[in-house]
Amino acid sequence: SIGAVPVLAHPFLNLTKDDLEILLPLAKKQGLVGMECYYSLYSTTETKEAVELAQKFELKYSGGSDFHGLYNEYTVSIGDYVAPDDCLHALLTYKSKQKRLQKKLATQHSMSG
C-alpha cells in the first residue's frame, strides 16, 4: 500500500446527483473514503449537494483547485481556491487511524507466525 486515501475527484463534472446516489454506496464498498466536495468550478448549489451526499454516505470531504499547470482551458493558480481546513483534518485523522491499524495488524501477524 502506498498510503493513498481514495477520494472521488470532482464528481459533478461527469455525474448527476442521481448517478452519485447509485455509485457512491458501491464505490464505498470497494474502498472509497472521500469525495471532492469543494472544487473551483462548482456552483454554491453543487458544493452544497456534494457535501450532503458525502454526509449521507459517510465519506470524508476534500477539495481543490484542480491546478494542472498553466495550460488549461481556464486559469486556476495555486491558492486561488481553498477548501475548508476541516477537509484536511478529516483526511489526516483517517490516515493516522489507518497507520495505527496497519501497525497493530502487523504486530499481531508477527506474534502469531
Side-chain angles (χ1 to χ4, degrees):
S1 169
I2 63 170
V5 178
V7 174
L8 179 61
H10 40 69
F12 283 130
L13 290 189
N14 298 308
L15 301 167
T16 66
K17 186 176 179 182
D18 289 339
D19 294 335
L20 291 166
E21 291 275 353
I22 296 166
L23 174 71
L24 291 175
L26 300 172
K28 188 171 177 185
K29 285 180 185 178
Q30 296 299 315
L32 183 69
V33 171
M35 184 170 80
E36 187 173 43
C37 296
Y38 300 94
Y39 180 63
S40 60
L41 298 180
Y42 279 0
S43 67
T44 304
T45 300
E46 288 171 318
T47 298
K48 182 177 181 270
E49 288 179 349
V51 168
E52 288 170 357
L53 284 168
Q55 289 173 336
K56 179 177 181 177
F57 295 106
E58 298 178 341
L59 295 168
K60 309 291 184 222
Y61 314 151
S62 75
S65 64
D66 205 22
F67 176 77
H68 289 276
L70 302 175
Y71 307 104
N72 291 322
E73 293 177 33
Y74 55 92
T75 301
V76 177
S77 297
I78 296 173
D80 279 356
Y81 186 81
V82 179
D85 288 344
D86 60 333
C87 292
L88 178 60
H89 178 72
L91 291 172
L92 290 175
T93 300
Y94 169 82
K95 190 160 173 62
S96 177
K97 286 179 183 178
Q98 289 302 107
K99 278 186 171 184
R100 284 194 304 272
L101 178 60
Q102 286 177 349
K103 189 175 182 177
K104 180 179 179 181
L105 292 174
T107 302
Q108 289 175 350
H109 179 71
S110 67
M111 292 173 70
S112 67

